[in-house]
Each structure stands twice: as C-alpha cells, then as structure tokens.
Amino acid sequence: MNETISKEQFAEKVLQYVREALPEELAGVKIRSASVDLWDGGSRTVLLVIRPWTDIITGFCLDRWYRAYLDEKKTVENAAAAIINDSRLYRMPQVDGLDMDGCVLLIL
C-alpha cells in the first residue's frame, strides 16, 4: 500500500491535476487551495478557482474527497476529474436582479 498523504498534500495534488487539465476557456484562472472556517465544527479544505477578469471565485470542498481517499474508495485523480467535469466550473450563475459582481460561489 502507498503511504497516506496529508489533507494539505491531497489538496495540492488535486490543484496540480486541475490546473494541468483546464480547457483554454479557463486559461488565466488562478487556482488555490485554502482552509475556510465558515461552518460549525471546524474549517474545510477548499479548492478555489479564481477568475480575475470577473472577480468571481468558484470553490470546491475537498473534505469528502479526502475522507473517501482515506477509506481507499477514491483517489486524488478521482477528485480532480470530478472538479474538471463539473459543469458549475464552466457556467456562472445568472441571478435576475442581483449584482453578482465580486461574489464567491462555493460549491459544497
């Protein structure tokens, strides 16, 4: 069995895979992993895809993927593929009457 990696290492590997696989339409985005403490019960590790031309950030929570990795049910590659194939990464929400400028869209 391979050595188990930490949650931070897991997030960094997912980040690298996603960065390498993004299509041309998302060239120029910035990708970061971060620990975000917005919930009761502690912080969550998220992957943030930052579109500097719109100031909109799409975030993907990695905690459940990491738990599945620890249970040997999923891999780093599975987590990265799920993000890359998630349609929410490619289309921004259209909310009538609301100014979405500068918002953060966190996908949990």
Side-chain angles (χ1 to χ4, degrees), residues 30-76:
K30 296 180 190 320
I31 304 174
R32 305 280 187 267
S33 63
S35 179
V36 179
D37 191 2
L38 299 175
W39 299 269
D40 289 338
S43 63
R44 304 289 197 280
T45 300
V46 295
L47 186 77
L48 302 173
V49 179
I50 306 159
R51 293 165 178 81
W53 56 91
T54 63
D55 292 330
I56 294 177
I57 301 170
T58 306
F60 296 88
C61 189
L62 297 178
D63 288 21
R64 69 181 171 98
W65 288 102
Y66 185 67
R67 282 192 302 275
Y69 162 78
L70 291 176
D71 293 340
E72 297 183 2
K73 295 179 181 176
K74 299 290 181 183
T75 64
V76 173

